[in-house]
Amino acid sequence: MALYLLLFQGYPLVQELYLSFTSTALLTPDQHVFVGLQNYIDLVTQEDFRQVLLITAIYTVVCVVAAIALGLGAALLLDAPFRGRGLARALVTIPWAAPPVAVALIFVWIYNGQYGIFNHLLGALGGSARLESWLDSPALALPAVLLTTIWQIFPFAAVVILAALQGVSSELREAAVIDGAHRLSVFRAVVWPSIQPSVALLALFLSIWSLRRFDLIWLMTQGGPIGSTNTLVIELYRRAFVYRDLGQGAAVGMVGLSIALLITVVYFRHMQRAGHGKTVARRAPGERQR
């Protein structure tokens, strides 16, 4: 395991770190010019890059919060007994299982100003029908990409939270109901403390995946229009393979890696303070099936 991590994780990481301190062209990757911190200084002083960080933060936070909120609501509904529950649990996973390429193509058509159904639905509901494509509007492109992303990833959150709900003691729930607690009190006193470690771990995974999501955004907008959906990974690809500057691309990648590491450190410190570290390590989400 140590050899694997050293060869396939450590060596590429060190190579990228070194590359971020050089001026390296894509067409001549073997010819490095050491420039120290100049690539990072250029990034910090560029207003466009600060805008990229802001869009990345908005995209990540909205994706994580909305996916967990919708996933929690769906999981609570699917945890309740009703006829056809098994089929409903299977159907809710369809968006998550769909390939990002297919999802991107479908939603590009949905958001089209002339042929898409989104504008027709808004017009039918009494809203003003827009003739422009949502993905061509700097004000609407990011919300449109966010809606698409949340639609695709919230089933994963629902499945993870549903698995965590299976481990909540039914005896504790029944005892709380017998004591006169209503549904909200039962959720706050019994259910939430049990599923909170799983939700926190889910938030960590969704945060990192949102930071590194490339395919869906690139296929829908390629970071445009006017950079309104330009996240860190899109900027990395653009600088490395469009502008052919591997040094700048590596610096952007190291910034993204630093943010992901910071989020991970915050997660583990939060879990240590909450006393869930041992619980998370001992029991994976959904380990106990009811």
Side-chain angles (χ1 to χ4, degrees):
M1 178 60 73
L3 182 62
Y4 169 81
L5 292 176
L6 188 63
L7 287 179
F8 296 101
Q9 301 287 333
Y11 179 72
L13 186 61
V14 172
Q15 279 289 94
E16 182 181 356
L17 179 62
Y18 171 73
L19 200 61
S20 69
F21 294 119
T22 67
S23 175
T24 306
L26 177 64
L27 299 179
T28 56
D30 295 333
Q31 299 177 10
H32 307 297
V33 177
F34 188 79
V35 295
L37 296 173
Q38 189 59 46
N39 287 330
Y40 294 96
I41 295 173
D42 292 341
L43 293 180
V44 172
T45 56
Q46 291 174 0
E47 186 176 353
D48 290 346
F49 188 71
R50 292 197 291 271
Q51 182 70 14
V52 168
L53 292 177
L54 176 62
I55 292 172
T56 304
I58 294 173
Y59 178 81
T60 302
V61 171
V62 174
C63 279
V64 173
V65 173
I68 289 179
L70 291 175
L72 178 60
L76 290 173
L77 290 175
L78 294 173
D79 190 49
F82 61 89
R83 180 177 295 181
R85 185 174 65 172
L87 178 61
R89 288 180 175 180
L91 291 177
V92 81
T93 61
I94 290 178
W96 177 47
V101 175
V103 172
L105 293 177
I106 292 172
F107 275 87
V108 165
W109 170 73
I110 287 176
Y111 293 132
N112 185 277
Q114 294 182 338
Y115 312 109
I117 63 172
F118 210 83
N119 283 340
H120 291 288
L121 285 177
L122 288 178
L125 294 174
S128 59
R130 306 173 65 94
L131 294 179
E132 65 175 329
S133 171
W134 284 56
L135 298 178
D136 292 335
S137 168
L140 298 176
L142 183 58
V145 172
L146 279 169
L147 281 176
T148 307
T149 307
I150 293 165
W151 177 83
Q152 189 181 29
I153 67 173
F154 96 86
F156 176 76
V159 170
V160 172
I161 297 174
L162 179 61
L165 286 172
Q166 307 300 297
V168 179
S169 171
S170 58
E171 290 80 7
L172 287 177
R173 292 190 188 189
E174 293 170 358
V177 172
I178 292 174
D179 289 341
H182 51 75
R183 289 187 176 182
L184 183 58
S185 297
V186 172
F187 177 80
R188 289 195 308 181
V190 178
V191 177
W192 179 249
S194 300
I195 67 173
Q196 187 180 8
S198 299
V199 174
L201 186 61
L202 176 65
L204 173 65
F205 287 155
L206 291 178
S207 299
I208 295 176
W209 291 341
S210 297
L211 283 172
R212 57 196 289 260
R213 184 168 293 108
F214 174 81
D215 45 11
L216 194 62
I217 302 174
W218 182 259
L219 290 170
M220 292 185 71
T221 64
Q222 297 188 359
I226 319 178
S228 57
T229 59
N230 198 22
T231 59
L232 270 175
V233 287
I234 301 294
E235 184 68 12
L236 186 158
Y237 178 85
R238 194 186 304 278
R239 292 184 184 245
F241 298 105
V242 177
Y243 303 149
R244 302 177 182 179
D245 190 339
L246 292 181
Q248 285 268 319
V252 174
M254 293 310 298
V255 172
L257 177 64
S258 301
I259 296 173
L261 288 176
L262 178 63
I263 294 174
T264 305
V265 169
V266 170
Y267 162 77
F268 280 108
R269 288 185 64 87
H270 169 73
M271 297 307 291
Q272 282 183 339
R273 289 180 181 178
H276 292 307
K278 294 181 181 178
T279 304
V280 173
R282 187 173 58 248
R283 191 180 71 187
E287 185 177 348
R288 290 178 53 196
Q289 297 294 322
R290 195 170 58 194

